[in-house]
Amino acid sequence: MPLSAMPVELIVGVVALLQGQLRIVQMSLVGSILSNLLLVLGLSFFVGGIYKPENQFAQTAAQASGSIMTLGCFTMVLPAAYWGSVKGGSGDNSVLSALFTRSKEQPVPAPNVGFDAMDGILFISRGTAVILLGIYIGYLVFQLRTHAFLYEAPEHEQIEEQQEEVEMSPKASIIALLVVTIITSFNADYLVSAIDDVANEYSISKVFISTILLPIVGNAAEHVTSVWMASKDKMEIALSVSVGSSVQICLGLVPLLVLVGWFVGQPLTLYFHDFETINLVVSVLLVNSLIQDGKSNYLEGALLVALYLVIALSFWVQPY
């Protein structure tokens, strides 16, 4: 799994969280998951299918990642279901507005919104965050220790990797990573601060910017890597970049930011709009149905990209 994927999204999420941009935090996380699952994986399947009629990858590993992704996705549905059961399905915008304006400066909930219901959503989200982090740690142990053999590349690919020369020493890599992280933090602060100006000047919805544009720009290197590996018929690596990154965000980054928000007094929750939740559930179900057999082709890739384009069109007209 590409652990380098998390710092960029983590930095952007923390910066937006400290600025009180809770909606942008949520939308950027959903957008990153959708981008990795549909656009990156879809293009990887498509490009890999052009070079080879049918590509194969480790079926058991793909099923494990898909199942864990499904768990993380469903945990985002439960807060919305809780709110619907408490309030009879009404007042969706009111509870979101109350949560997104409730901070250190505004500790009093908005009028006409049940304080107990809001506290219930926060309690569910924070408790779920702790559980998801535990599952994510178990997933890392499963992937890196107890069942690492399921994620190993074929023998001929391992020989090619062993023949590659090491271009950077570990110390140089750590220093380079720190420098890039510092630069990224400054860029992230400017990026989040500029969203309002860009949305107003070009009449683009903040939802579209946060869900579609930010993940594509922020994960550009990941996208290229996954497609490049797929073109070389290294589908295990392509899946680790796309599906693995989605698992990392859903079970690692999302709960981590919920707990960070708790620590700094920002009420970030797992309560999303129904529209975003439906898009996420549909995407996860489609990806699971396509990776179950351990094979891929260009048509499956086209299906994933098509769904992403439809979702992008929907977010273009989605109000904030």
Side-chain angles (χ1 to χ4, degrees):
M1 180 182 299
L3 293 175
S4 59
M6 183 175 287
V8 175
E9 284 142 353
L10 177 61
I11 293 171
V12 173
V14 170
V15 169
L17 192 62
L18 293 177
Q19 293 183 9
Q21 301 275 12
L22 303 187
R23 184 74 174 130
I24 291 177
V25 175
Q26 286 191 332
M27 296 307 302
S28 63
L29 292 173
V30 171
S32 294
I33 296 173
L34 293 175
S35 176
N36 284 312
L37 281 181
L38 299 179
L39 183 61
V40 180
L41 184 61
L43 289 176
S44 300
F45 281 178
F46 185 82
V47 173
I50 292 177
Y51 285 90
K52 188 177 180 180
E54 187 175 73
N55 302 97
Q56 297 185 356
F57 46 87
Q59 183 178 5
T60 304
Q63 289 176 346
S65 299
S67 299
I68 293 176
M69 189 67 218
T70 303
L71 169 65
C73 176
F74 285 170
T75 58
M76 297 182 182
V77 179
L78 295 179
Y82 166 79
W83 174 252
S85 65
V86 172
K87 294 298 177 182
S90 63
D92 178 72
N93 291 331
S94 63
V95 70
L96 284 171
S97 299
L99 285 170
F100 294 149
T101 58
R102 188 178 172 194
S103 61
K104 291 180 178 178
E105 291 74 19
Q106 294 175 309
V108 180
N112 301 323
V113 178
F115 182 79
D116 292 340
M118 291 169 54
D119 274 359
I121 291 175
L122 286 169
F123 178 80
I124 293 173
S125 299
R126 291 163 178 172
T128 302
V130 175
I131 296 172
L132 288 181
L133 284 176
I135 294 296
Y136 180 63
I137 294 174
Y139 174 66
L140 291 179
V141 174
F142 178 87
Q143 184 187 44
L144 301 177
R145 296 291 299 272
T146 61
H147 291 71
F149 61 91
L150 295 176
Y151 298 86
E152 292 178 354
E155 184 176 351
H156 68 279
E157 294 183 9
Q158 294 180 8
I159 295 176
E160 292 178 1
E161 293 177 358
Q162 292 175 357
Q163 293 176 347
E164 294 180 357
E165 296 182 0
V166 178
E167 298 180 358
M168 294 183 66
S169 64
K171 183 182 294 185
S173 300
I174 294 174
I175 295 174
L177 182 61
L178 290 176
V179 172
V180 171
T181 301
I182 294 173
I183 296 174
T184 302
S185 63
F186 286 104
N187 290 335
D189 183 67
Y190 173 78
L191 184 65
V192 173
S193 302
I195 289 179
D196 289 335
D197 295 334
V198 173
N200 295 329
E201 182 175 354
Y202 297 98
S203 300
I204 302 176
S205 169
K206 287 184 182 180
V207 173
F208 184 82
I209 294 175
S210 303
T211 311
I212 304 300
L213 298 184
L214 278 182
I216 291 178
V217 174
N219 300 329
E222 263 184 301
H223 297 185
V224 174
T225 300
S226 179
V227 174
W228 179 254
M229 290 297 102
S231 68
K232 293 185 175 183
D233 195 24
K234 297 182 178 181
M235 296 306 298
E236 281 80 9
I237 299 178
L239 258 73
S240 69
V241 172
S242 54
V243 179
S245 294
S246 298
V247 172
Q248 191 178 58
I249 295 170
C250 194
L251 272 77
L253 185 55
V254 172
L256 179 60
L257 287 177
V258 170
L259 297 180
V260 170
W262 187 9
F263 179 76
V264 299
Q266 293 289 355
L268 182 66
T269 72
L270 298 178
Y271 185 92
F272 292 82
H273 276 289
D274 292 343
F275 180 71
E276 297 135 24
T277 304
I278 292 172
N279 283 328
L280 190 58
V281 171
V282 170
S283 301
V284 171
L285 292 178
L286 177 60
V287 170
N288 275 336
S289 67
L290 295 181
I291 65 176
Q292 290 298 316
D293 58 354
K295 302 176 183 178
S296 66
N297 52 63
Y298 73 88
L299 180 59
E300 293 180 347
L303 295 177
L304 294 174
V305 174
L307 179 58
Y308 184 78
L309 294 177
V310 171
I311 291 176
L313 289 174
S314 302
F315 278 121
W316 176 262
V317 295
Q318 175 73 4
Y320 186 75

